[in-house]
Amino acid sequence: MSKKIIIAIDGFSSTGKSTIAKQLAKQLGYAYVDTGAMYRAVTFYAMQHNSVSADFLKEDELIESLKNINLKFKYNEKLKFSEMYLNDKNIEKEIRTMEVSRMVSKVAAISSVRRKLVEQQQEMGKDKGLVMDGRDIGTVVFPEAELKLFMTASAEKRATRRYKELLDKGDKVSFEEVLQNVQQRDHIDSTRKDSPLILAEDAIEFDNSDMGLKEQFERILNITERYIAKA
């Protein structure tokens, strides 16, 4: 049997990190962790408790409340993927809104938030056999990961994908609003002081601007199988 590895998938928002990570985990029989959902859950909590909005961020208040935040992934047999629970309540739908998307990069830039979640993420990977996606998986969470992928695409392509997803969910948004959010998150994620989004030296950069899901998965699966064989 092949040795199990850790697969770290980083990259910009709306590059399909979660989609490819879920596909790989299912194909390989690995566990999958969506770290973005964890940061979104903390953001949702902060919004519910009036600790963050478009106009303010009560950082000290949010840091103090971290002890009250319990996050878990629970597998949904019907949907065939794990959903995010905040203090034992399913918030999978709530954390995928544009309102949360507007705030999440601000919350994710807080060092105390990152430390709390990174500790949890590292514990999840102690037995390997894991696919994890986010912004700092290959650089901070698992710098020793056997395979690191860095997903990228043009801002316009990513905004188009995200816009379609939101429309399909029934959200009323404009393309310009979504594009602005993508560009703003890119800037915050790439320039924050704590664990900025950067390309790890040993990561494979993967631009899927003009690539369909099937082609993307086949290419990445081929790369993954080579790395597992070398492990």
Side-chain angles (χ1 to χ4, degrees):
M1 181 176 289
S2 298
K3 178 183 176 183
K4 289 188 175 182
I5 67 172
I6 290 177
I7 301 169
I9 303 179
D10 292 308
F12 295 98
S13 64
S14 302
T15 49
K17 298 186 301 297
S18 296
T19 298
I20 196 65
K22 288 175 186 175
Q23 289 178 313
L24 275 180
K26 183 177 180 180
Q27 179 73 23
L28 301 171
Y30 278 20
Y32 163 65
V33 177
D34 174 4
T35 64
M38 298 172 74
Y39 285 102
R40 283 175 173 271
V42 174
T43 301
F44 178 71
Y45 181 95
M47 293 169 65
Q48 293 295 101
H49 290 78
N50 199 36
S51 296
V52 67
S53 77
D55 302 316
F56 62 80
L57 172 62
K58 300 176 183 177
E59 187 170 328
D60 291 340
E61 185 177 291
L62 177 54
I63 291 171
E64 177 61 26
S65 69
L66 288 176
K67 62 181 182 292
N68 302 319
I69 298 176
N70 181 270
L71 305 180
K72 290 181 181 177
F73 286 101
K74 293 185 181 180
Y75 190 73
N76 186 317
E77 287 287 351
K78 185 177 180 180
L79 298 177
K80 301 299 180 186
F81 67 84
S82 295
E83 297 177 300
M84 173 54 67
Y85 281 71
L86 168 63
N87 296 335
D88 294 321
K89 180 182 178 181
N90 187 328
I91 58 166
E92 185 64 31
K93 182 178 180 181
E94 289 85 346
I95 63 174
R96 306 298 177 181
T97 64
M98 269 298 293
E99 287 74 20
V100 173
S101 293
R102 292 189 190 100
M103 301 298 119
V104 66
S105 290
K106 293 167 66 172
V107 171
I110 300 173
S111 294
S112 295
V113 172
R114 302 201 71 82
R115 281 197 298 272
K116 177 185 175 71
L117 298 190
V118 166
E119 286 176 4
Q120 293 182 23
Q121 292 155 13
Q122 290 173 332
E123 181 66 20
M124 293 173 184
K126 64 181 182 181
D127 296 322
K128 299 205 173 185
L130 178 77
V131 183
M132 186 176 285
D133 73 275
R135 299 291 194 282
D136 63 350
I137 311 307
T139 53
V140 175
V141 184
F142 294 115
E144 76 285 2
E146 289 85 351
L147 173 58
K148 301 176 186 179
L149 297 170
F150 189 94
M151 310 295 290
T152 186
S154 69
E156 289 73 17
K157 291 278 187 179
R158 290 183 284 126
T160 298
R161 295 169 186 167
R162 180 68 175 146
Y163 178 58
K164 185 177 184 303
E165 288 176 3
L166 291 169
L167 289 183
D168 289 344
K169 292 178 182 177
D171 292 354
K172 295 181 180 179
V173 294
S174 68
F175 174 75
E176 290 72 21
E177 181 182 11
V178 176
L179 177 60
Q180 183 179 27
N181 176 250
V182 166
Q183 293 171 329
Q184 182 182 42
R185 290 179 67 188
D186 287 352
H187 176 72
I188 295 174
D189 292 341
S190 301
T191 60
R192 66 184 180 222
K193 292 182 179 180
D194 191 338
S195 309
L197 171 63
I198 57 174
L199 175 68
E201 290 184 4
D202 53 346
I204 298 172
E205 189 169 10
F206 199 90
D207 190 327
N208 62 12
S209 295
D210 301 302
M211 200 176 295
L213 292 176
K214 185 174 185 294
E215 180 186 359
Q216 172 182 260
F217 177 65
E218 288 175 349
R219 289 193 183 190
I220 290 180
L221 179 61
N222 184 263
I223 293 170
T224 302
E225 288 175 339
R226 294 204 310 268
Y227 273 75
I228 291 176
K230 291 191 301 183

